[in-house]
Amino acid sequence: MISKKGRARLCGLFSGCFLAVSLSGCGLLQSISGGGDVVLNKTEATMSVGDKLNLNIISDIDTSRISWNSSNDSVAEVSDSGRVKAKKSGTVTISAISRDGKTADCEITIEEVEVEKVRLNKSTASIKAGKTVQLKVKVYPEEADDEDLDWDSSDESVAIVNSDGLVTGKKAGTANITCTAPNGRDASCTVTVKSNQKSTNTNSSNSSSNSGGGSSGTSAGRSSSGSSGRAHVDTGTTNGQIFTWSSDSYIDSNDIAGLSSNDKQMAVNEIYARNGYYFSNTARGNSLYNYYSSYSWYSPYISSMNDVPLNAVERANIAFLQSH
């Protein structure tokens, strides 16, 4: 038999159990043991572009009920687990937010990565007045900021350049196009602009205008008989070439107006010659070889025309000339 004192003790125990169950069912025990403020392991940090940082909850709360937010995703983004990735220079606030609205913030300053090297896709280029050439820039390391690069021409009367590196020829001459990073690192391209006027010449040296597979010509210095009589080269200014710029700029219908078929074939030949093609050992080939050898820019070393390393502009110009 249980005494009155024993019954009282049991009632007290059961009452405590009922109270605990009741509090737990209402969510009060959880609030008491784990419903405190949201606390992060960092309240401020400094990062560089491209860096990553893990933010952690260090208070006794259910982290699965936390959401993360960045005040500026373009500066830094944060994952669902609190991993921050720095994207560009600036200041950003990363917030951890509980379901009951409590928050903790980390203020992050993201610093620029210094540009160590600037590179352009060309170190030299040749265009004619009125034509354009696109320069492309790459900075190193890749995380460095390339949004504040400055483009400049040493002589804007000869060539101008816009903020995207597009160069436009204005008149005959030479200009240095320079791309400069905010810290002074730079790279340059020397642009030679040729006049778009074709001039006459009285050069009478004979040379075939065919590279070995087309119609024969009469002279490397004059247009063929029956043409308008316009000489296609001016050896004093173009080093024996019709279009000195045809490796960098596209030829159009206006450029070939008045040229004979012989001249157009020579315009094709000079593209191969510029790329080092050694003209075939035939009467016609020897004539072309002798003609181009009189100019210092000609350095033949490739015996097969199929091996000549033509760029896209050169291939397009050859196709254009041969179809007209």
Side-chain angles (χ1 to χ4, degrees), residues 26 28 61 74 112 118 123 177 233 280 319:
C26 294
L28 294 177
I61 60 174
S74 68
E112 288 185 1
V118 179
S123 59
I177 305 299
V233 294
S280 59

Side-chain angles (χ1 to χ4, degrees), residues 7-224:
R7 284 199 298 271
R9 231 175 244 168
L10 286 172
C11 287
L13 289 172
F14 281 117
S15 295
C17 291
F18 289 138
L19 177 61
V21 171
S22 176
L23 288 173
S24 178
C26 294
L28 294 177
L29 277 181
Q30 182 179 359
S31 177
I32 292 170
S33 63
D37 293 335
V38 181
V39 181
L40 292 175
N41 62 326
K42 292 179 180 290
T43 57
E44 59 182 21
T46 300
M47 303 173 65
S48 295
V49 175
D51 286 352
K52 294 182 175 68
L53 172 70
N54 288 324
L55 293 180
N56 301 312
I57 305 295
I58 59 174
S59 53
D60 187 18
I61 60 174
D62 184 0
T63 57
S64 67
R65 302 167 71 88
I66 293 292
S67 61
W68 295 87
N69 179 69
S70 169
S71 63
N72 191 337
D73 285 330
S74 68
V75 174
E77 59 186 14
V78 60
S79 70
D80 292 338
S81 62
R83 185 171 177 82
V84 181
K85 181 180 180 181
K87 299 173 70 176
K88 72 175 186 179
S89 61
T91 302
V92 65
T93 301
I94 304 298
S95 302
I97 309 167
S98 67
R99 288 197 177 180
D100 60 0
K102 294 180 179 180
T103 65
D105 296 332
C106 179
E107 300 291 333
I108 298 179
T109 300
I110 298 173
E111 299 176 338
E112 288 185 1
V113 175
E114 284 286 307
V115 174
E116 296 178 6
K117 183 180 292 186
V118 179
R119 264 189 193 164
L120 296 178
N121 62 324
K122 294 176 179 286
S123 59
T124 61
S126 179
I127 57 175
K128 72 172 184 174
K131 295 290 186 176
T132 62
V133 60
Q134 179 67 60
L135 297 182
K136 296 181 181 180
V137 62
K138 191 171 182 63
V139 298
Y140 298 89
E142 293 183 356
E143 296 80 13
D145 186 5
D146 62 357
E147 293 185 0
D148 296 320
L149 299 175
D150 181 62
W151 292 87
D152 180 67
S153 170
S154 64
D155 190 342
E156 293 190 343
S157 69
V158 172
I160 59 174
V161 60
N162 69 10
S163 59
D164 295 320
L166 181 67
V167 181
T168 303
K170 303 293 286 183
K171 72 175 186 179
T174 301
N176 288 324
I177 305 299
T178 305
C179 181
T180 308
N183 64 355
R185 304 282 186 179
D186 62 19
S188 296
C189 174
T190 300
V191 176
T192 300
V193 180
K194 299 291 186 180
S195 172
N196 56 13
Q197 296 180 348
K198 303 179 181 72
S199 56
T200 60
N201 179 37
T202 58
N203 180 11
S204 59
S205 63
N206 291 327
S207 174
S208 169
S209 65
N210 192 296
S211 60
S215 61
S216 62
T218 59
S219 172
R222 297 180 180 275
S223 58
S224 59

